[in-house]
Structures are given as structure tokens and as C-alpha cells.
Amino acid sequence: MSKFLDVKNLSVKFNTEDGVVHAVDNLSFSVERGKTLGIVGESGSGKSVTSLAIMGLHKGSRAEVTGEIWLDGQEINQLAEKDIRKLRGKKMAMIFQDALAALHPYYTVGNQIAEAYQVHNKVSKTEAKKHAIEMLDRVGIPEPQKRADDYPHQFSGGMRQRAMIAMSLSCDPTLLIADEPTTALDVTVQAQILELLRDLQKEFGTSIILITHDLGVVAETADDVLLMYAGKAVEYGNVRDVLKNPQHPYAWGLLTSIPRLTGDPDKKLAAIPGIPPSLISVPSGCAFHPRCSYVSTVGAACSATIPDLLLVTNTAHHLVRCHLDVKNREDIFKNQVVPKL
């Protein structure tokens, strides 16, 4: 399979009054055509900043974006704002986390989808409106002809998210970035939205980047997974390899903290100790070391040296950034009760 999106050594910095925020630090990953990459991490790990960099939405801001972003063989990080604007909607699109904030409150949902379609297609307003109604129908909005004339506040949370997906897919983009598309939705609606994304991916052959906190969602929908911590990739690979045989203490912590139906109801939910670091003053060495339970196993290297992202033994595509050697990781994983998804 060919790499439709190939991100190389991406870094994003913000100059603030308090100092430089290292939001994304030397990040590399790729997405194949028709495949899904799940990006997972706590709030502040750099997930959304990465997606905005791919969309070129940092241009004109105080952000300093370096590295290469190759989209279908074209390097887009160096493009001017007017050129990358031509790619948005047509070649790549984004479903934002808060649909109510992303949709304009003064325009009907149908008009907003029609406008997005007209930007990239020379069609009349009537044709664009017809296409908007077809897209609302395709994403499962009941009575689409009637609901197209409603405003965002008249839609429920799940319906607004469906409308956002309709707008994002109105020009058949080949890359879709979904930033927490199921946030604040109930479990039933979450399942419907994820099923909708899977169906549309099959129909359009779209490559998807799914940004989420939920490893369960990643297990169900993604082909590859990238775990981010403090702006860096700490584990990256095929979703089965990473979730069945996790190699990083952060991954162990995330998996252990997930509640399970078969667990002891009286047992306290496990949590990763400490809090995520400030991206203005990232800890030296491995950024996770202040929260890691295995620093004593490694020693001073954890706080002194940033570990490289290295291939896990006997795997074709599974990388981990950790000072623990293979033997230590195997022993710890065997002895620890780390659940598998």
C-alpha cells in the first residue's frame, strides 16, 4: 500500500510570554490509502496541534511549524495559505471536536454544506443545495430536505456531528481527520458515528486520522495506532501489535486504567500517577520518567537522555521510545496484569 500522508520530523512551537511551548516535537508517521490511524494521548499531548498542522491551520498564527508533510506526493507544509486553502475540503477535511462551535450559528446547516461544495465545484446554488441534502441523507439525517433548512442549535449533538461529517465529505476528500468525533455523545450515538465513518471509508476509500482518548475506539476502528506523550511519539505500530503486546509504560498505564465489565466492582480504578508535564518546561530525558514506575530499573538514563524511537524485536512495524531493554519489558509485561483489548 502507498503512503497517502507521510509526516516527517514535524515540530510545532508557540512563542508565549511564559516561554516556548513545544507542542509537537520531531513527530513522524504515515497513513496509507483507505486505512485508519488512531492517535491517542492525554489532553495536552499534541494530538490536535498535529492535526491542525496537517490542515495548514497554524499559518498566520504565532506557531512555528517545521518538518515535512507529504500529501499524495506533494509537500504541503511549505505551501502558501492561498494554495493550501485549495486543498482543504477537496483533498483533506477535518471533523472538529465541538460541532456546535465549528458550525456557524447564523446560517442553516444546508447552506453551510452547500457553500463548502461550491468552493471547489462550479455549480449553481440550486445544485449545491441539492448536493447538501443528498449528503445529509447519506449520513443518516432523517427528513434531510426539511432539516437542511434548520440551524445548528436545532440539531442534537449526534445530529450536529453527522452534519459536520456531511460537510467534511461533501467534496469527497481523500484524507479525513476526525478530532474526538464522539466527545460528549452517549454510547449509542458514539457507536453510530463510528459505524458511519467506517461505512463512508469503504464507500469513498478515504484515509482517516482518528484522534481520541479512547483505546477501545482505536481497537475497533484503527489499522495503526500512535501513542503521544508530551508532543512525542512513545509507541507506534499496527493496532494489534500495540494493544496485544504494548511495550511502553505509558501504554501499560492507559490499558490498566480502562474499567472492565468483568472486573471487581469494589476494586479502585488504576490510574497513572502524577499529571502530564508542562510543554513549556518538558522534563529532561524521557518526558514520562517523573510518572514512570520503572525508573529504578533503568537508572539515571531516564532523566538524562531522550530515548530513541526504536523497532521492537521481531516486528515489521512496531516502534517504542523507552530505555527499558527488551528483557526488562518482557519480564515486566509478564508479571504485571496489563489487560489486552
Side-chain angles (χ1 to χ4, degrees):
M1 297 288 288
S2 60
K3 296 178 181 178
F4 182 73
L5 175 71
D6 195 12
V7 176
K8 299 179 180 179
N9 306 316
L10 177 67
S11 292
V12 183
K13 301 176 184 177
F14 297 92
N15 292 302
T16 70
E17 293 178 358
D18 296 322
V20 179
V21 178
H22 298 269
V24 179
D25 188 4
N26 200 33
L27 185 68
S28 297
F29 62 87
S30 61
V31 186
E32 294 179 352
R33 291 178 183 274
K35 298 293 184 181
T36 299
L37 170 71
I39 301 182
V40 180
E42 294 167 289
S43 296
S45 61
K47 308 183 301 298
S48 295
V49 174
T50 299
S51 65
L52 294 175
I54 294 169
M55 294 294 294
L57 293 172
H58 292 306
K59 292 184 184 296
S61 72
R62 298 167 70 180
E64 179 187 334
V65 182
T66 58
E68 300 176 15
I69 302 172
W70 292 86
L71 182 69
D72 197 19
Q74 180 183 16
E75 208 291 308
I76 63 174
N77 190 35
Q78 303 303 321
L79 291 180
E81 167 64 20
K82 63 180 179 63
D83 295 320
I84 203 163
R85 195 182 298 127
K86 295 175 183 177
L87 299 177
R88 291 192 208 117
K90 186 66 176 176
K91 209 156 197 174
M92 57 181 178
M94 186 167 177
I95 303 169
F96 292 94
Q97 186 171 346
D98 186 351
L100 186 59
L103 292 167
H104 200 294
Y106 292 162
Y107 297 95
T108 65
V109 169
N111 281 341
Q112 292 184 62
I113 298 172
E115 181 185 22
Y117 185 63
Q118 279 188 293
V119 166
H120 298 285
N121 298 274
K122 294 181 179 179
V123 296
S124 66
K125 286 186 177 181
T126 303
E127 289 174 300
K129 182 68 177 295
K130 182 182 177 183
H131 181 74
I133 293 168
E134 289 172 356
M135 289 304 301
L136 288 173
D137 183 48
R138 185 170 288 178
V139 299
I141 300 286
E143 299 182 278
Q145 192 153 4
K146 178 183 175 184
R147 298 312 301 266
D149 293 327
D150 285 344
Y151 292 87
H153 72 272
Q154 295 174 285
F155 279 48
S156 67
M159 297 267 277
R160 280 195 293 267
Q161 203 61 280
R162 288 173 183 270
M164 277 291 299
I165 293 171
M167 185 184 298
S168 300
L169 293 174
S170 62
C171 296
D172 300 342
T174 35
L175 174 67
L176 180 65
I177 301 175
D179 188 0
E180 301 276 5
T182 57
T183 295
L185 302 179
D186 64 58
V187 177
T188 304
V189 178
Q190 284 185 31
Q192 291 171 353
I193 294 296
L194 293 171
E195 185 65 31
L196 173 61
L197 287 175
R198 277 196 292 267
D199 292 343
L200 293 171
Q201 184 176 44
K202 289 177 185 176
E203 183 178 349
F204 293 104
T206 311
S207 300
I208 295 177
I209 295 177
L210 179 64
I211 296 171
T212 181
H213 291 90
D214 193 334
L215 281 171
V217 168
V218 168
E220 286 291 323
T221 60
D223 299 289
D224 294 320
V225 60
L226 171 69
L227 295 185
M228 289 187 69
Y229 187 82
K232 284 184 175 292
V234 294
E235 191 159 357
Y236 174 43
N238 178 275
V239 72
R240 291 188 183 87
D241 291 337
V242 174
L243 297 184
K244 294 294 183 184
N245 186 27
Q247 296 288 308
H248 198 280
Y250 182 53
W252 300 338
L254 290 176
L255 286 166
T256 306
S257 65
I258 297 173
R260 279 167 170 73
L261 292 174
T262 55
D264 182 353
D266 297 320
K267 187 177 180 181
K268 285 187 176 181
L269 190 65
I272 301 173
I275 59 173
S278 164
L279 296 180
I280 293 176
S281 54
V282 179
S284 60
C286 173
F288 188 64
H289 87 262
R291 307 174 68 188
C292 184
S293 304
Y294 308 102
V295 171
S296 58
T297 306
V298 175
C302 286
S303 58
T305 310
I306 298 174
D308 293 325
L309 190 65
L310 299 175
L311 196 66
V312 175
T313 309
N314 300 323
T315 61
H317 175 50
H318 185 182
L319 299 101
V320 64
R321 188 188 300 278
C322 184
H323 283 302
L324 284 168
D325 60 31
V326 175
K327 179 70 167 60
N328 278 325
R329 287 201 299 267
E330 287 178 353
D331 289 344
I332 292 167
F333 190 65
K334 282 178 185 175
N335 296 326
Q336 296 288 325
V337 183
V338 179
K340 299 175 183 179
L341 292 179

